[in-house]
Amino acid sequence: MARNEEKAQSMLYRFREAQAAELGVGTQADRRPKMASACKSLTECEKWRGEILREISRKVSKIQDAGSSDYEVRDLNDEINKLIREKRHWDNQIVALGGANYRRNVAMLDDDGKEVPGTKGYKYFGRAKDIPGVRELFQSRMKEEEEENQALAFYKKFMDQGPPYYGDLDENDGTLLRYERAAEEEDWREAYSNLRGSLGFSTE
């Protein structure tokens, strides 16, 4: 017992404990629950959410390493996306327990301040954006977006037009009404003349 107490007090033991906690490795009691809904303590939920954020930060830093192979980068990117999904579950549980609402629809930005690219909730971080296959995916998407922007620029001149564009003010000065009335009278006289002619009456 004394031996364990001495061990717990040693600097090396405390350092290893802190290191294990930072790496997400600990005893069975210290491990993060697999199901966020199983945790009923708001403090614990905040703790595990913070741990996930630290893990995401470490992996995002690691994925920038130019010495990593494409396979390692793919695995890291998968792990980051898995952690992001897990964080979302903890966010929901925190809200369910009456805590802060972290579920804000804020764009995820990279180091350059640009939105992290991805589709259907899956994001690509760091070197994952330059992996063969992923690069071509983004190039094709950029081409599609460019074509959509060109089409939008063409049709934009027809959008958000005021009443004059749709002719709603054409009758305000009375010119169109006078023209329509004269045309109606001319059409009526022509129809009347044709009817008299078809009945054998004089068209004079």
Side-chain angles (χ1 to χ4, degrees), residues 45-78:
C45 287
E46 293 279 3
K47 168 190 168 184
W48 297 128
R49 181 182 182 276
E51 181 181 286
I52 292 173
L53 288 174
R54 288 190 293 273
E55 287 185 35
I56 292 174
S57 178
R58 283 194 301 271
K59 292 182 185 295
V60 168
S61 298
K62 189 175 180 181
I63 206 172
Q64 312 286 348
D65 186 4
S68 301
S69 68
D70 288 349
Y71 297 105
E72 292 173 328
V73 171
R74 286 182 189 274
D75 289 342
L76 275 171
N77 201 71
D78 287 342

Side-chain angles (χ1 to χ4, degrees), residues 3-30:
R3 172 72 174 168
N4 290 338
E5 289 177 0
E6 291 175 5
K7 183 179 179 182
Q9 294 298 322
S10 70
M11 182 69 74
L12 178 60
Y13 183 78
R14 290 199 301 272
F15 169 74
R16 286 179 176 173
E17 264 194 338
Q19 191 177 42
E22 185 179 350
L23 294 173
V25 179
T27 63
Q28 187 69 29
D30 293 335

Side-chain angles (χ1 to χ4, degrees), residues 163-191:
Y165 177 80
Y166 298 99
D168 293 342
L169 306 181
D170 290 351
E171 299 177 358
N172 285 5
D173 61 357
T175 303
L176 180 61
L177 291 175
R178 288 193 296 270
Y179 174 81
E180 289 178 346
R181 190 177 299 113
E184 287 174 359
E185 291 175 355
E186 179 66 26
D187 288 342
W188 187 90
R189 283 194 295 269
E190 183 178 351

Side-chain angles (χ1 to χ4, degrees), residues 100-116:
N101 185 3
Y102 298 107
R103 300 177 302 185
R104 295 186 296 270
N105 293 324
V106 179
M108 195 177 299
L109 306 179
D110 58 15
D111 293 338
D112 299 325
K114 298 179 180 178
E115 185 174 356
V116 176

